[in-house]
Amino acid sequence: MSVFALLDASLEPDWEIYLQPHLNGLRPDFVILNPKVGICVIEVKDWNLDAMHYHVKEHGSGLRELYATKDNRSFRVENPFTKIKRYKDDIFNIYCPRLQHRFGYAAIVGSVVFPFAERSRVLALQAPFLKDEDRAKAKEYWPIAGQAEITRSDLHTMLPILDRDRHSLMSHCAADDLRGWLVEPGFTKSQREPLELDRNQRSLAESRTESGFRRIKGPAGSGKSLVLAARAARLVDEGKSVLVVTFNMTLWHYLRDLVSREFRIRAILAA
């Protein structure tokens, strides 16, 4: 969380910080927003570049991909440089339509941060993925920060957008367009909340009858589904397989979400 601590401590109050915003499922690590200046999307990679050999592989088609080699085995790894470009492109093309004129693309900056690596080594990995027209201004629009920059709180290398007083195309309207996508949807927020069971429901979910069979009856809204989901999550937590049979797909999806919520909370508490 060193990057968040730096952003939180150093940014001026008119900058908004969004931690892993949804952006319709994209989930960048950070988005910072200033209605007068612009938008910066930040991707953080805690890679140790000495733990594996990271390199760029170019295919016969000209496609370049980021690879790592360990124990004489090479495999493709997630490419933060192409990922950050996708974030920037989608913000410009989909989430901030009012920027789609003149040079609105320049109001968005994509930054990649490696808190445990030297900036020079990350720059060498980035270079093959820059277009020719991007190379001259990569420091401004595709900035890279490494361990030294984080250690000395060099926010301006990581976010050169801070050197701008304002951007002529950025506006409160454009910021409002983006905010609507950054706010977490209610259904995903509820996925992080534990199931609310009363004492009797929790007892039913945590206990086992002598025969192993149990039948629960009750009117709609009495909590039968909650008990079933909590019981299923407990059994999964014990390493058992669980089969849930329902009379329609809607109920099946609902129960699956409840089980996921309970199991996720159990995992967090166990950790």
Side-chain angles (χ1 to χ4, degrees):
M1 295 299 288
S2 57
V3 175
F4 173 74
L6 177 58
L7 294 173
D8 188 44
S10 305
L11 288 177
E12 296 294 330
D14 49 354
W15 282 95
E16 304 168 19
I17 306 173
Y18 295 87
L19 175 62
Q20 290 189 329
H22 282 255
L23 278 179
N24 203 26
L26 289 182
R27 303 302 296 272
D29 289 312
F30 298 96
V31 170
I32 65 169
L33 168 66
N34 187 319
K36 296 180 180 179
V37 180
I39 303 158
C40 186
V41 193
I42 304 170
E43 185 73 8
V44 181
K45 290 298 178 187
D46 58 353
W47 296 356
N48 177 358
L49 298 187
D50 292 321
M52 296 186 289
H53 172 57
Y54 291 88
H55 55 97
V56 178
K57 181 177 181 180
E58 184 168 353
H59 300 276
S61 63
L63 174 67
R64 293 170 178 170
E65 295 184 304
L66 192 59
Y67 271 70
T69 300
K70 185 175 184 180
D71 299 329
N72 296 319
R73 186 175 68 90
S74 294
F75 48 91
R76 186 167 56 88
V77 295
E78 183 181 62
N79 189 330
F81 311 113
T82 55
K83 193 174 184 181
I84 205 73
K85 185 178 187 305
R86 181 188 174 193
Y87 294 151
K88 180 171 175 173
D89 288 346
D90 281 4
I91 288 175
F92 179 71
N93 292 317
I94 302 173
Y95 308 122
C96 276
R98 301 187 213 211
L99 289 179
Q100 291 184 24
H101 61 287
R102 293 174 61 200
F103 303 104
Y105 195 67
I108 311 165
V109 171
S111 178
V112 179
V113 181
F114 279 65
F116 305 108
E118 294 178 13
R119 180 170 179 266
S120 59
R121 297 177 68 181
V122 182
L123 286 170
L125 289 175
Q126 178 199 37
F129 300 104
L130 290 172
K131 295 180 179 180
D132 291 339
E133 60 268 25
D134 293 332
R135 295 181 187 279
K137 293 190 175 182
K139 186 176 180 180
E140 180 179 358
Y141 295 113
W142 305 102
I144 298 293
Q147 185 176 30
E149 288 70 37
I150 298 299
T151 301
R152 65 172 181 259
S153 299
D154 183 1
L155 205 61
H156 287 264
T157 296
M158 183 172 80
L159 303 172
I161 193 173
L162 299 180
D163 295 328
R164 303 175 184 171
D165 291 329
R166 61 179 294 112
H167 192 284
S168 60
L169 293 177
M170 194 61 199
S171 66
H172 286 279
C173 292
D176 285 341
D177 290 339
L178 184 59
R179 287 190 189 103
W181 293 99
L182 294 172
V183 176
E184 182 178 18
F187 78 91
T188 55
K189 182 179 179 181
S190 67
Q191 286 291 305
R192 298 196 310 272
E193 298 174 353
L195 300 182
E196 296 183 5
L197 279 70
D198 59 31
R199 182 180 300 177
N200 183 50
Q201 291 169 336
R202 182 61 65 182
S203 175
L204 290 171
E206 300 289 338
S207 64
R208 183 183 187 277
T209 64
E210 186 174 329
S211 65
F213 294 95
R214 172 172 279 148
R215 182 180 182 183
I216 299 176
K217 297 174 63 177
S222 61
K224 302 185 298 299
S225 297
L226 295 178
V227 172
L228 174 62
R231 182 61 181 164
R234 179 181 177 85
L235 294 174
V236 171
D237 195 36
E238 294 174 355
K240 299 176 181 177
S241 297
V242 179
L243 173 65
V244 177
V245 181
T246 66
F247 58 85
N248 62 50
M249 286 297 293
T250 301
L251 180 58
W252 183 86
H253 285 291
Y254 173 65
L255 289 173
R256 185 183 64 173
D257 287 342
L258 293 180
V259 173
S260 297
R261 282 174 56 184
E262 179 70 8
F263 184 70
R264 186 177 295 111
I265 296 300
R266 295 179 69 90
I268 293 173
L269 293 176

